[in-house]
């Protein structure tokens, strides 16, 4: 939205050296604190990037990570969705609060919440309030679930200033509810070839770069599943 191999097979496309370098940040299986999470029930609440827009479901970064870790994954990510932004009509037409309601029925052991650029342009106070409500709702409805927040992802360019506001709101809300926040950095920055033609959504190679960054960040921050 954990055993990640040091290198993944990239199918038809060759792996960029930067992706390979990111993967070297992930230690061997014996050193990963989030390893041994096979069959854990994981739900991802996210947007079109974590949902793999324009690709198959199996090519999105959560699926890549779940495949390596043998999670029981349900990816509830929705095109256009954010903590306040309503998802696209042709997808789920829901914001994160509705996605959280769907997650409850799945009784996950881990909930990954991805901060989203879809909330850009909204009032900062509204973003903070909506984020607090979403995270508090997850904790209230799923008190036994491990709650992990992930920073927002931008494209190959420098992110807009408000993206930091969106990620910071999630960090504070997650920590307030006793969860763990993980900053995964800017894995796509400087790599236009990793973006689809809309310059918003990653290609297969971009998704692989995100997966490598998430895995490395989980190890760095001693994320426990």
């Amino acid at each position: 939205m954990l055993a990640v191999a040091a290198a993944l097979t990239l199918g038809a496309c060759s792996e960029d050296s930067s992706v390979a370098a990111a993967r070297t940040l992930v230690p061997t299986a014996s050193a990963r604190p989030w390893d041994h999470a096979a069959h854990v029930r994981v739900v991802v609440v996210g947007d079109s990037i974590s949902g793999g827009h324009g690709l198959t479901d199996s090519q999105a970064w959560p699926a890549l990570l779940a495949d390596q870790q043998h999670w029981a994954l349900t990816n509830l990510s929705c095109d256009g969705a954010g903590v306040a932004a309503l998802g696209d009509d042709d997808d789920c037409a829901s914001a994160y609060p509705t996605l959280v309601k769907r997650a409850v029925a799945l009784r996950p052991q881990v909930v990954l919440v991805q901060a989203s650029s879809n909330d850009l342009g909204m009032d900062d106070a509204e973003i903070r309030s909506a984020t607090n409500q979403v995270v508090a709702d997850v904790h209230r409805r799923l008190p036994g679930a491990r709650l992990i927040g992930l920073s927002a992802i931008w494209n190959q360019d420098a992110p807009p200033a408000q993206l930091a506001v969106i990620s910071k709101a999630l960090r504070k809300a997650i920590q307030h509810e006793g969860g763990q926040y993980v900053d995964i950095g800017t894995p796509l920055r400087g790599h236009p070839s990793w973006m689809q033609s809309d310059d918003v959504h990653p290609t297969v190679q971009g998704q692989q770069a995100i997966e490598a960054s998430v895995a490395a960040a989980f190890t760095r921050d001693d994320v426990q599943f």
Side-chain angles (χ1 to χ4, degrees):
M1 9 26 13
L2 293 143
V4 178
L8 291 178
T9 300
L10 299 187
C13 60
S14 60
E15 184 172 63
D16 184 281
S17 60
S18 297
V19 179
R23 294 191 187 286
T24 64
L25 298 175
V26 185
T28 58
S30 60
R32 287 190 292 264
W34 42 266
D35 204 1
H36 313 302
H39 311 301
V40 66
R41 297 187 304 279
V42 178
V43 165
V44 176
V45 174
D47 56 17
S48 57
I49 294 178
S50 53
H53 176 90
L55 307 174
T56 66
D57 292 344
S58 64
Q59 292 170 324
W61 74 258
L64 296 175
L65 203 51
D67 184 60
Q68 292 296 320
Q69 296 301 319
H70 307 290
W71 293 342
L73 174 72
T74 302
N75 193 343
L76 296 179
S77 298
C78 172
D79 285 11
V83 293
L86 194 64
D88 297 345
D89 288 340
D90 58 355
D91 192 355
C92 70
S94 302
Y96 280 14
T98 300
L99 303 183
V100 170
K101 292 178 182 177
R102 296 173 185 171
V104 171
L106 301 170
R107 310 308 301 175
Q109 295 163 281
V110 179
V111 179
L112 301 178
V113 181
Q114 177 91 60
S116 176
S117 60
N118 290 323
D119 291 312
L120 286 170
M122 296 186 177
D123 181 74
D124 289 354
E126 180 183 2
I127 291 170
R128 287 190 287 267
S129 176
T131 302
N132 291 340
Q133 291 176 23
V134 165
V135 176
D137 200 30
V138 174
H139 183 66
R140 178 178 62 83
R141 290 171 175 265
L142 295 166
R146 184 86 171 90
L147 182 56
I148 300 172
L150 301 172
S151 57
I153 297 172
W154 194 243
N155 61 16
Q156 72 272 16
D157 299 320
Q162 195 184 28
L163 200 69
V165 174
I166 292 170
S167 292
K168 183 178 180 180
L170 182 63
R171 175 176 61 81
K172 287 189 172 183
I174 289 284
Q175 292 174 344
H176 179 75
E177 297 296 341
Q180 187 168 8
Y181 175 81
V182 179
D183 187 341
I184 66 171
T186 54
L188 303 175
R189 187 168 182 177
H191 296 282
S193 65
W194 293 358
M195 303 303 300
Q196 297 179 39
S197 59
D198 60 9
D199 285 332
V200 174
H201 299 101
T203 62
V204 170
Q205 200 167 11
Q207 288 285 351
Q208 290 166 340
I210 295 171
E211 181 270 337
S213 292
V214 172
F218 279 0
T219 297
R220 178 199 69 210
D221 292 351
D222 192 25
V223 174
Q224 303 291 332
F225 268 62

